[in-house]
């Protein structure tokens, strides 16, 4: 089955839209193949402001209506406690909220942008999607992340080269209770780093310190801007540390 066949079978659907490359391409495909689609973005303390801005921009360019649904994710005890199953409880709460909002608007099918490169064993939240009957067209049609990016570039979507972004909760060590203030300062710090030209990086909270992770290509940039990075981030943390392992942040 390809996406055209999928949307022939599903002519009306709500799309959980994160502002990232996968769900952006899914929205484009829905529009391309005549689906009566509406985007739903859930805004919580775990999502940075730039993701909402990107979501609004893309929805506007595709002329697909988008509803922003606010939710207090830290009111979900299992999410705030940040245990090993946080992602499952978070995903279940978020998609229950999205499903209810979509149903209230007359949409009985909810889709998400999980692709065929996402292994169920690596994504605890997939269990929640199955339990809530959320469909994942990209995964069902065998489209990998690289294929999604290739087709997104061909479609002219600005998200085609947008780095993968994991929610802000992943910056807090598992087992450490998540606090609004910690999320806010990590978001602020990452926004400041991005303004210096960094991309595809993470700032992890280690106690009251920040641990910066960058890809190998950006290690030189860290060295070049070491003083600026330190002076900019030090007001937010007790110490600013650099992880010397060159890595592509995956979460």
């Amino acid at each position: 089955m390809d996406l055209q066949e999928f949307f022939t079978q599903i002519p009306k659907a709500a799309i959980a839209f994160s502002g990232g490359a996968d769900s952006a391409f899914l929205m484009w495909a829905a529009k391309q193949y005549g689906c009566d689609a509406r985007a739903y973005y859930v805004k919580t303390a775990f999502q940075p402001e730039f993701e909402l801005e990107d979501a609004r921009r893309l929805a506007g360019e595709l002329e697909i209506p988008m509803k922003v649904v606010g939710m207090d994710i830290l009111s979900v005890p299992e999410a705030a406690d940040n245990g090993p199953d946080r992602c499952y409880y978070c995903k279940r709460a978020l998609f229950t909220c999205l499903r209810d909002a979509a149903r209230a608007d007359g949409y009985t099918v909810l889709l998400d942008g999980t692709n065929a490169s996402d292994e169920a064993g690596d994504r605890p939240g997939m269990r929640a999607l199955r339990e809530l009957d959320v469909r994942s067209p990209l995964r069902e049609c065998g489209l990998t992340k690289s294929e999604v990016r290739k087709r997104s570039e061909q479609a002219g979507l600005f998200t085609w080269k947008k780095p993968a972004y994991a929610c802000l909760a992943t910056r807090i060590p598992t087992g450490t209770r998540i606090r609004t203030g910690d999320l806010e300062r990590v978001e602020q710090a990452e926004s400041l780093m991005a303004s210096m030209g960094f991309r595809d990086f993470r700032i992890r909270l280690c106690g009251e310190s920040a641990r910066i992770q960058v890809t190998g290509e950006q290690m030189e940039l860290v060295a070049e801007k070491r003083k600026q990075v330190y002076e900019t981030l030090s007001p937010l943390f007790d110490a600013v540390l650099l992880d010397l392992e060159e890595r592509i942040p995956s979460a």
Side-chain angles (χ1 to χ4, degrees), residues 125-152:
M126 283 189 182
R127 176 159 58 100
L129 299 183
R130 290 193 299 269
E131 292 173 356
L132 296 171
D133 295 322
V134 178
R135 300 283 299 272
S136 303
L138 303 180
R139 184 175 175 82
E140 292 181 31
C141 295
L143 292 174
T144 62
K145 186 73 171 185
S146 60
E147 185 66 21
V148 167
R149 290 195 183 279
K150 176 183 175 182
R151 295 192 187 190
S152 295

PDB file of all heavy atoms in Angstrom, residues 125-152:
ATOM      1  N   GLY A 125       6.488   4.789  23.475  1.00  0.00           N
ATOM      2  CA  GLY A 125       5.204   5.423  23.224  1.00  0.00           C
ATOM      3  C   GLY A 125       4.365   4.723  22.177  1.00  0.00           C
ATOM      4  O   GLY A 125       3.161   4.957  22.089  1.00  0.00           O
ATOM      5  N   MET A 126       4.983   3.847  21.365  1.00  0.00           N
ATOM      6  CA  MET A 126       4.213   3.151  20.332  1.00  0.00           C
ATOM      7  C   MET A 126       3.136   2.250  20.930  1.00  0.00           C
ATOM      8  O   MET A 126       2.091   2.029  20.316  1.00  0.00           O
ATOM      9  CB  MET A 126       5.142   2.324  19.439  1.00  0.00           C
ATOM     10  CG  MET A 126       5.903   3.156  18.433  1.00  0.00           C
ATOM     11  SD  MET A 126       6.769   2.097  17.252  1.00  0.00           S
ATOM     12  CE  MET A 126       7.592   3.324  16.262  1.00  0.00           C
ATOM     13  N   ARG A 127       3.393   1.740  22.115  1.00  0.00           N
ATOM     14  CA  ARG A 127       2.387   0.912  22.778  1.00  0.00           C
ATOM     15  C   ARG A 127       1.125   1.732  23.038  1.00  0.00           C
ATOM     16  O   ARG A 127       0.007   1.256  22.859  1.00  0.00           O
ATOM     17  CB  ARG A 127       2.935   0.344  24.084  1.00  0.00           C
ATOM     18  CG  ARG A 127       1.929  -0.466  24.890  1.00  0.00           C
ATOM     19  CD  ARG A 127       2.613  -1.399  25.864  1.00  0.00           C
ATOM     20  NE  ARG A 127       3.475  -0.716  26.808  1.00  0.00           N
ATOM     21  CZ  ARG A 127       3.113  -0.431  28.074  1.00  0.00           C
ATOM     22  NH1 ARG A 127       1.914  -0.772  28.509  1.00  0.00           N
ATOM     23  NH2 ARG A 127       3.963   0.168  28.885  1.00  0.00           N
ATOM     24  N   ALA A 128       1.309   2.974  23.428  1.00  0.00           N
ATOM     25  CA  ALA A 128       0.167   3.848  23.676  1.00  0.00           C
ATOM     26  C   ALA A 128      -0.602   4.115  22.380  1.00  0.00           C
ATOM     27  O   ALA A 128      -1.831   4.139  22.373  1.00  0.00           O
ATOM     28  CB  ALA A 128       0.639   5.161  24.291  1.00  0.00           C
ATOM     29  N   LEU A 129       0.129   4.283  21.273  1.00  0.00           N
ATOM     30  CA  LEU A 129      -0.538   4.525  19.987  1.00  0.00           C
ATOM     31  C   LEU A 129      -1.399   3.332  19.599  1.00  0.00           C
ATOM     32  O   LEU A 129      -2.526   3.496  19.113  1.00  0.00           O
ATOM     33  CB  LEU A 129       0.502   4.808  18.900  1.00  0.00           C
ATOM     34  CG  LEU A 129       1.414   6.024  19.098  1.00  0.00           C
ATOM     35  CD1 LEU A 129       2.338   6.189  17.901  1.00  0.00           C
ATOM     36  CD2 LEU A 129       0.590   7.285  19.310  1.00  0.00           C
ATOM     37  N   ARG A 130      -0.869   2.135  19.798  1.00  0.00           N
ATOM     38  CA  ARG A 130      -1.648   0.933  19.464  1.00  0.00           C
ATOM     39  C   ARG A 130      -2.890   0.831  20.340  1.00  0.00           C
ATOM     40  O   ARG A 130      -3.982   0.524  19.839  1.00  0.00           O
ATOM     41  CB  ARG A 130      -0.785  -0.324  19.641  1.00  0.00           C
ATOM     42  CG  ARG A 130       0.322  -0.476  18.605  1.00  0.00           C
ATOM     43  CD  ARG A 130       0.911  -1.879  18.640  1.00  0.00           C
ATOM     44  NE  ARG A 130       1.500  -2.196  19.943  1.00  0.00           N
ATOM     45  CZ  ARG A 130       2.770  -1.965  20.245  1.00  0.00           C
ATOM     46  NH1 ARG A 130       3.580  -1.407  19.362  1.00  0.00           N
ATOM     47  NH2 ARG A 130       3.248  -2.296  21.442  1.00  0.00           N
ATOM     48  N   GLU A 131      -2.744   1.113  21.613  1.00  0.00           N
ATOM     49  CA  GLU A 131      -3.875   1.012  22.532  1.00  0.00           C
ATOM     50  C   GLU A 131      -4.981   2.008  22.196  1.00  0.00           C
ATOM     51  O   GLU A 131      -6.160   1.738  22.433  1.00  0.00           O
ATOM     52  CB  GLU A 131      -3.399   1.228  23.968  1.00  0.00           C
ATOM     53  CG  GLU A 131      -2.510   0.115  24.496  1.00  0.00           C
ATOM     54  CD  GLU A 131      -1.901   0.424  25.850  1.00  0.00           C
ATOM     55  OE1 GLU A 131      -2.118   1.549  26.360  1.00  0.00           O
ATOM     56  OE2 GLU A 131      -1.199  -0.457  26.394  1.00  0.00           O
ATOM     57  N   LEU A 132      -4.598   3.156  21.630  1.00  0.00           N
ATOM     58  CA  LEU A 132      -5.574   4.193  21.301  1.00  0.00           C
ATOM     59  C   LEU A 132      -6.014   4.155  19.842  1.00  0.00           C
ATOM     60  O   LEU A 132      -6.733   5.037  19.385  1.00  0.00           O
ATOM     61  CB  LEU A 132      -4.980   5.572  21.633  1.00  0.00           C
ATOM     62  CG  LEU A 132      -4.689   5.821  23.116  1.00  0.00           C
ATOM     63  CD1 LEU A 132      -3.910   7.114  23.297  1.00  0.00           C
ATOM     64  CD2 LEU A 132      -5.981   5.862  23.921  1.00  0.00           C
ATOM     65  N   ASP A 133      -5.569   3.117  19.112  1.00  0.00           N
ATOM     66  CA  ASP A 133      -5.949   2.944  17.696  1.00  0.00           C
ATOM     67  C   ASP A 133      -5.520   4.121  16.819  1.00  0.00           C
ATOM     68  O   ASP A 133      -6.243   4.522  15.896  1.00  0.00           O
ATOM     69  CB  ASP A 133      -7.459   2.725  17.554  1.00  0.00           C
ATOM     70  CG  ASP A 133      -7.919   1.431  18.196  1.00  0.00           C
ATOM     71  OD1 ASP A 133      -7.171   0.430  18.104  1.00  0.00           O
ATOM     72  OD2 ASP A 133      -9.002   1.413  18.810  1.00  0.00           O
ATOM     73  N   VAL A 134      -4.346   4.671  17.116  1.00  0.00           N
ATOM     74  CA  VAL A 134      -3.793   5.726  16.272  1.00  0.00           C
ATOM     75  C   VAL A 134      -3.097   5.071  15.090  1.00  0.00           C
ATOM     76  O   VAL A 134      -2.286   4.159  15.251  1.00  0.00           O
ATOM     77  CB  VAL A 134      -2.795   6.595  17.069  1.00  0.00           C
ATOM     78  CG1 VAL A 134      -2.173   7.660  16.168  1.00  0.00           C
ATOM     79  CG2 VAL A 134      -3.489   7.235  18.271  1.00  0.00           C
ATOM     80  N   ARG A 135      -3.416   5.532  13.882  1.00  0.00           N
ATOM     81  CA  ARG A 135      -2.805   4.974  12.670  1.00  0.00           C
ATOM     82  C   ARG A 135      -1.533   5.744  12.323  1.00  0.00           C
ATOM     83  O   ARG A 135      -1.445   6.955  12.512  1.00  0.00           O
ATOM     84  CB  ARG A 135      -3.788   5.056  11.486  1.00  0.00           C
ATOM     85  CG  ARG A 135      -5.102   4.312  11.679  1.00  0.00           C
ATOM     86  CD  ARG A 135      -4.956   2.817  11.499  1.00  0.00           C
ATOM     87  NE  ARG A 135      -4.501   2.435  10.183  1.00  0.00           N
ATOM     88  CZ  ARG A 135      -5.322   2.206   9.134  1.00  0.00           C
ATOM     89  NH1 ARG A 135      -6.631   2.376   9.268  1.00  0.00           N
ATOM     90  NH2 ARG A 135      -4.829   1.810   7.967  1.00  0.00           N
ATOM     91  N   SER A 136      -0.551   5.021  11.778  1.00  0.00           N
ATOM     92  CA  SER A 136       0.731   5.619  11.370  1.00  0.00           C
ATOM     93  C   SER A 136       0.959   5.314   9.891  1.00  0.00           C
ATOM     94  O   SER A 136       1.627   4.328   9.540  1.00  0.00           O
ATOM     95  CB  SER A 136       1.884   5.064  12.215  1.00  0.00           C
ATOM     96  OG  SER A 136       1.665   5.286  13.592  1.00  0.00           O
ATOM     97  N   PRO A 137       0.431   6.132   8.981  1.00  0.00           N
ATOM     98  CA  PRO A 137       0.498   5.846   7.541  1.00  0.00           C
ATOM     99  C   PRO A 137       1.914   5.680   6.994  1.00  0.00           C
ATOM    100  O   PRO A 137       2.147   4.824   6.128  1.00  0.00           O
ATOM    101  CB  PRO A 137      -0.190   7.058   6.906  1.00  0.00           C
ATOM    102  CG  PRO A 137      -1.077   7.594   7.977  1.00  0.00           C
ATOM    103  CD  PRO A 137      -0.353   7.345   9.257  1.00  0.00           C
ATOM    104  N   LEU A 138       2.860   6.489   7.460  1.00  0.00           N
ATOM    105  CA  LEU A 138       4.227   6.381   6.937  1.00  0.00           C
ATOM    106  C   LEU A 138       4.815   5.016   7.269  1.00  0.00           C
ATOM    107  O   LEU A 138       5.458   4.381   6.426  1.00  0.00           O
ATOM    108  CB  LEU A 138       5.113   7.488   7.521  1.00  0.00           C
ATOM    109  CG  LEU A 138       4.648   8.928   7.302  1.00  0.00           C
ATOM    110  CD1 LEU A 138       5.636   9.901   7.950  1.00  0.00           C
ATOM    111  CD2 LEU A 138       4.491   9.237   5.823  1.00  0.00           C
ATOM    112  N   ARG A 139       4.593   4.574   8.469  1.00  0.00           N
ATOM    113  CA  ARG A 139       5.073   3.259   8.887  1.00  0.00           C
ATOM    114  C   ARG A 139       4.341   2.157   8.137  1.00  0.00           C
ATOM    115  O   ARG A 139       4.956   1.193   7.652  1.00  0.00           O
ATOM    116  CB  ARG A 139       4.892   3.089  10.400  1.00  0.00           C
ATOM    117  CG  ARG A 139       5.456   1.791  10.956  1.00  0.00           C
ATOM    118  CD  ARG A 139       5.343   1.783  12.479  1.00  0.00           C
ATOM    119  NE  ARG A 139       5.763   0.511  13.039  1.00  0.00           N
ATOM    120  CZ  ARG A 139       7.009   0.154  13.281  1.00  0.00           C
ATOM    121  NH1 ARG A 139       7.983   0.991  12.990  1.00  0.00           N
ATOM    122  NH2 ARG A 139       7.305  -1.019  13.793  1.00  0.00           N
ATOM    123  N   GLU A 140       3.023   2.274   8.017  1.00  0.00           N
ATOM    124  CA  GLU A 140       2.224   1.256   7.331  1.00  0.00           C
ATOM    125  C   GLU A 140       2.601   1.144   5.863  1.00  0.00           C
ATOM    126  O   GLU A 140       2.505   0.059   5.268  1.00  0.00           O
ATOM    127  CB  GLU A 140       0.737   1.581   7.469  1.00  0.00           C
ATOM    128  CG  GLU A 140       0.198   1.437   8.889  1.00  0.00           C
ATOM    129  CD  GLU A 140      -1.283   1.753   8.988  1.00  0.00           C
ATOM    130  OE1 GLU A 140      -2.011   1.509   7.996  1.00  0.00           O
ATOM    131  OE2 GLU A 140      -1.731   2.236  10.051  1.00  0.00           O
ATOM    132  N   CYS A 141       3.035   2.253   5.277  1.00  0.00           N
ATOM    133  CA  CYS A 141       3.401   2.255   3.858  1.00  0.00           C
ATOM    134  C   CYS A 141       4.899   2.039   3.639  1.00  0.00           C
ATOM    135  O   CYS A 141       5.391   2.144   2.510  1.00  0.00           O
ATOM    136  CB  CYS A 141       2.964   3.571   3.206  1.00  0.00           C
ATOM    137  SG  CYS A 141       1.169   3.800   3.168  1.00  0.00           S
ATOM    138  N   GLY A 142       5.632   1.756   4.703  1.00  0.00           N
ATOM    139  CA  GLY A 142       7.045   1.408   4.572  1.00  0.00           C
ATOM    140  C   GLY A 142       7.972   2.559   4.271  1.00  0.00           C
ATOM    141  O   GLY A 142       9.077   2.347   3.749  1.00  0.00           O
ATOM    142  N   LEU A 143       7.590   3.779   4.611  1.00  0.00           N
ATOM    143  CA  LEU A 143       8.435   4.940   4.329  1.00  0.00           C
ATOM    144  C   LEU A 143       9.401   5.190   5.474  1.00  0.00           C
ATOM    145  O   LEU A 143       8.999   5.454   6.606  1.00  0.00           O
ATOM    146  CB  LEU A 143       7.565   6.182   4.104  1.00  0.00           C
ATOM    147  CG  LEU A 143       6.715   6.162   2.831  1.00  0.00           C
ATOM    148  CD1 LEU A 143       5.789   7.363   2.791  1.00  0.00           C
ATOM    149  CD2 LEU A 143       7.611   6.157   1.602  1.00  0.00           C
ATOM    150  N   THR A 144      10.700   5.114   5.172  1.00  0.00           N
ATOM    151  CA  THR A 144      11.734   5.338   6.179  1.00  0.00           C
ATOM    152  C   THR A 144      11.990   6.834   6.347  1.00  0.00           C
ATOM    153  O   THR A 144      11.513   7.663   5.573  1.00  0.00           O
ATOM    154  CB  THR A 144      13.045   4.669   5.751  1.00  0.00           C
ATOM    155  OG1 THR A 144      13.494   5.274   4.521  1.00  0.00           O
ATOM    156  CG2 THR A 144      12.858   3.166   5.552  1.00  0.00           C
ATOM    157  N   LYS A 145      12.789   7.157   7.367  1.00  0.00           N
ATOM    158  CA  LYS A 145      13.116   8.560   7.630  1.00  0.00           C
ATOM    159  C   LYS A 145      13.817   9.197   6.437  1.00  0.00           C
ATOM    160  O   LYS A 145      13.498  10.326   6.052  1.00  0.00           O
ATOM    161  CB  LYS A 145      14.014   8.650   8.869  1.00  0.00           C
ATOM    162  CG  LYS A 145      14.300  10.072   9.332  1.00  0.00           C
ATOM    163  CD  LYS A 145      13.082  10.668   9.985  1.00  0.00           C
ATOM    164  CE  LYS A 145      13.388  11.999  10.640  1.00  0.00           C
ATOM    165  NZ  LYS A 145      12.228  12.530  11.373  1.00  0.00           N
ATOM    166  N   SER A 146      14.765   8.486   5.850  1.00  0.00           N
ATOM    167  CA  SER A 146      15.503   9.057   4.720  1.00  0.00           C
ATOM    168  C   SER A 146      14.583   9.289   3.525  1.00  0.00           C
ATOM    169  O   SER A 146      14.710  10.284   2.808  1.00  0.00           O
ATOM    170  CB  SER A 146      16.674   8.150   4.336  1.00  0.00           C
ATOM    171  OG  SER A 146      16.218   6.860   3.952  1.00  0.00           O
ATOM    172  N   GLU A 147      13.630   8.378   3.318  1.00  0.00           N
ATOM    173  CA  GLU A 147      12.684   8.544   2.209  1.00  0.00           C
ATOM    174  C   GLU A 147      11.754   9.718   2.473  1.00  0.00           C
ATOM    175  O   GLU A 147      11.418  10.482   1.556  1.00  0.00           O
ATOM    176  CB  GLU A 147      11.869   7.257   2.020  1.00  0.00           C
ATOM    177  CG  GLU A 147      10.940   7.277   0.827  1.00  0.00           C
ATOM    178  CD  GLU A 147      11.648   7.339  -0.518  1.00  0.00           C
ATOM    179  OE1 GLU A 147      12.840   6.975  -0.578  1.00  0.00           O
ATOM    180  OE2 GLU A 147      11.011   7.757  -1.498  1.00  0.00           O
ATOM    181  N   VAL A 148      11.348   9.885   3.719  1.00  0.00           N
ATOM    182  CA  VAL A 148      10.495  11.018   4.077  1.00  0.00           C
ATOM    183  C   VAL A 148      11.224  12.332   3.801  1.00  0.00           C
ATOM    184  O   VAL A 148      10.656  13.269   3.226  1.00  0.00           O
ATOM    185  CB  VAL A 148      10.078  10.936   5.560  1.00  0.00           C
ATOM    186  CG1 VAL A 148       9.469  12.266   6.033  1.00  0.00           C
ATOM    187  CG2 VAL A 148       9.070   9.812   5.765  1.00  0.00           C
ATOM    188  N   ARG A 149      12.501  12.401   4.176  1.00  0.00           N
ATOM    189  CA  ARG A 149      13.266  13.630   3.932  1.00  0.00           C
ATOM    190  C   ARG A 149      13.438  13.882   2.430  1.00  0.00           C
ATOM    191  O   ARG A 149      13.319  15.025   1.964  1.00  0.00           O
ATOM    192  CB  ARG A 149      14.632  13.545   4.620  1.00  0.00           C
ATOM    193  CG  ARG A 149      14.555  13.617   6.146  1.00  0.00           C
ATOM    194  CD  ARG A 149      15.921  13.900   6.748  1.00  0.00           C
ATOM    195  NE  ARG A 149      15.888  13.905   8.203  1.00  0.00           N
ATOM    196  CZ  ARG A 149      15.490  14.924   8.959  1.00  0.00           C
ATOM    197  NH1 ARG A 149      15.060  16.029   8.368  1.00  0.00           N
ATOM    198  NH2 ARG A 149      15.516  14.849  10.270  1.00  0.00           N
ATOM    199  N   LYS A 150      13.716  12.827   1.673  1.00  0.00           N
ATOM    200  CA  LYS A 150      13.884  12.974   0.228  1.00  0.00           C
ATOM    201  C   LYS A 150      12.606  13.498  -0.420  1.00  0.00           C
ATOM    202  O   LYS A 150      12.629  14.444  -1.217  1.00  0.00           O
ATOM    203  CB  LYS A 150      14.272  11.619  -0.373  1.00  0.00           C
ATOM    204  CG  LYS A 150      14.393  11.615  -1.887  1.00  0.00           C
ATOM    205  CD  LYS A 150      14.718  10.204  -2.392  1.00  0.00           C
ATOM    206  CE  LYS A 150      14.727  10.152  -3.914  1.00  0.00           C
ATOM    207  NZ  LYS A 150      14.995   8.777  -4.412  1.00  0.00           N
ATOM    208  N   ARG A 151      11.485  12.885  -0.074  1.00  0.00           N
ATOM    209  CA  ARG A 151      10.214  13.304  -0.670  1.00  0.00           C
ATOM    210  C   ARG A 151       9.791  14.693  -0.178  1.00  0.00           C
ATOM    211  O   ARG A 151       9.160  15.449  -0.924  1.00  0.00           O
ATOM    212  CB  ARG A 151       9.128  12.278  -0.360  1.00  0.00           C
ATOM    213  CG  ARG A 151       9.371  10.914  -0.990  1.00  0.00           C
ATOM    214  CD  ARG A 151       8.130  10.045  -0.900  1.00  0.00           C
ATOM    215  NE  ARG A 151       8.374   8.683  -1.355  1.00  0.00           N
ATOM    216  CZ  ARG A 151       7.428   7.782  -1.557  1.00  0.00           C
ATOM    217  NH1 ARG A 151       6.151   8.101  -1.324  1.00  0.00           N
ATOM    218  NH2 ARG A 151       7.718   6.559  -1.962  1.00  0.00           N
ATOM    219  N   SER A 152      10.144  15.009   1.052  1.00  0.00           N
ATOM    220  CA  SER A 152       9.818  16.336   1.585  1.00  0.00           C
ATOM    221  C   SER A 152      10.578  17.417   0.832  1.00  0.00           C
ATOM    222  O   SER A 152      10.032  18.487   0.535  1.00  0.00           O
ATOM    223  CB  SER A 152      10.158  16.404   3.074  1.00  0.00           C
ATOM    224  OG  SER A 152       9.346  15.530   3.833  1.00  0.00           O
TER     225      SER A 152
END
